[in-house]
Amino acid sequence: VKTEVGIIGAGPAGLMLARILQQHGIDTVILERRSRAYVLGRIRAGVLEHGTVETLKAYGVGERLKREGIPIKSMQIRWNGEKHDTSIVDESGRHLTTYGQAKVVRDLIEQREADGLPIRFEAAVERLDDLEDAPKIRFVADGAAQTLECQFVAGCDGYHGVSRGYIPDAAAQSHLRDYPFAWFGILAEAAPHPDMRGFAHSTRGLAVASARSESIGRLYLQVPPDFDVNAMSDEDVWDELDRRMDDGSGQRLNRGRITERNRARLRGFVCEAMQHGRLLIAGDAAHIVPPSGAKGLNLAIGDARVMAEALRGRLRANDDRIYADYTAICLRRIWPTVAWSCQMSDTLHMFPDQSSFTTQMQYQNLNHWMHTETGQRRFRTAMLGLPYEI
Ligand code: APR
């Protein structure tokens, strides 16, 4: 098999890249290790920056998003019984949007299939060869070893993918922070309560209440890294969420059947070597953010935009400039976003053996973001997302 750009991974990064390249008339093949049903069913993030929404609309995959996306115009943070609330709408009316990553992925996959373009599901990439001049992607599908020849390889295969390993400097130029806790996430058939949402910092640890749709709630509890997600009954989970979210108003979360339980470690990770020869990497393959800023999906879309332009330059315009600068352009948006996500995490969680001094420092951050003009602007700008260079 041959194509112009071989894309590894059908997550948001790979699918968005493929969509933009399609609009430029560039041929792609996507190889995805998992089954179609698995990829469509995977539950992940659900908050889109304004820029992500505009990108999806601009490339013709925003119809359902226009109908079903729910605007988020303010952010609540609770602090041991106090409730703080700040607007995140900026001068030009931009805001965030609730729309599940699973829906973004479905919209992109269905559009591509409707256009008759290939996604090879259950095709696991095992090795990359000749990345300097004539790349070959070796993969296994239908029980047989196969090769995809291409001019460029897009490594959009997530944190545990294979492609980062083919960048010689990747390990030496990687930066990692591991947090000593995890998030226990649930999906629940419970209409999100309009006043009981956002983050809560409590002595028992962080809680988060967010929406996936008008009728589905997505909620999280900070837990130890080895926490067993099946250890608590539904009732106990709701009780714990209510305890942490308590703001003295007597209001309680709307309860409902818990349909999904998962656990995710928190880490910050940036690989500062994002290209080698004819291989470029994007999204979780190159960086991970703690989920508190809801930035993972949004960063992946930002990378995909830059990668598409870099490849268009090389393949259609005989222009190497963006390609040569790909890593630097991406990192200028990645690092501040990772830093913000970590700052939020540092402020909102209870760390093991946390001192009262640290708790006061956290409270000062919160106060700055919620109640001072400069802090509110900082909070709003960071939440809404940095502008794109490309
Ligand atoms: N061969 C083929 N596909 C692979 C391989 C492989 N060897 N290794 C991984 N993949 C696939 C995974 O199965 C997954 O579908 O690559 C895809 C990577 O997708 P994501 O993990 O969703 O990463 P990305 O597209 O960068 O999106 C980042 O996803 O992890 C969330 O919260 C994160 O929102 C962020 C977003």
Side-chain angles (χ1 to χ4, degrees), residues 4-39:
E4 293 189 278
V5 181
I7 300 176
I8 313 173
L15 291 165
M16 190 73 237
L17 171 70
R19 178 67 187 168
I20 303 177
L21 291 177
Q22 182 192 341
Q23 307 293 73
H24 293 319
I26 293 171
D27 279 345
T28 57
V29 170
I30 304 179
L31 302 173
E32 165 58 51
R33 181 165 55 128
R34 303 286 192 170
S35 69
R36 185 176 186 277
Y38 182 95
V39 172

Side-chain angles (χ1 to χ4, degrees), residues 138-285:
R138 316 281 185 195
F139 65 101
V140 175
D142 308 319
Q146 306 188 33
T147 296
L148 173 63
E149 291 179 35
C150 48
Q151 299 189 41
F152 292 93
V153 179
C156 303
D157 47 356
Y159 186 63
H160 300 288
V162 295
S163 50
R164 188 172 65 246
Y166 287 89
I167 300 178
D169 293 339
Q173 292 192 38
S174 288
H175 307 272
L176 173 69
R177 168 185 284 183
D178 253 320
Y179 284 88
F181 38 72
W183 277 21
F184 165 34
I186 62 163
L187 268 185
E189 290 168 347
H193 191 303
D195 294 329
M196 297 289 285
R197 59 192 172 82
F199 299 94
H201 179 293
S202 87
T203 50
R204 306 176 65 90
L206 162 125
V208 186
S210 65
R212 261 317 141 75
S213 68
E214 308 282 3
S215 56
I216 305 288
R218 177 77 167 143
L219 303 97
Y220 304 91
L221 289 169
Q222 175 189 348
V223 293
D226 56 356
F227 178 80
D228 171 8
V229 298
N230 295 310
M232 291 165 84
S233 68
D234 281 18
E235 229 34 46
D236 287 348
V237 174
W238 288 113
D239 286 347
E240 184 60 22
L241 282 163
D242 268 332
R243 267 194 291 274
R244 296 188 191 186
M245 293 289 292
D246 183 28
D247 60 7
S249 68
Q251 283 183 312
R252 293 285 175 263
L253 292 159
N254 291 329
R255 297 188 175 197
R257 195 168 71 87
I258 297 176
T259 54
E260 284 266 351
R261 293 167 176 245
N262 73 330
R263 188 189 73 202
R265 281 301 300 264
L266 267 70
R267 56 167 68 96
F269 171 79
V270 177
C271 170
E272 290 192 310
M274 293 176 65
Q275 63 194 110
H276 170 68
R278 288 171 170 264
L279 165 69
L280 304 172
I281 62 172
D284 276 15

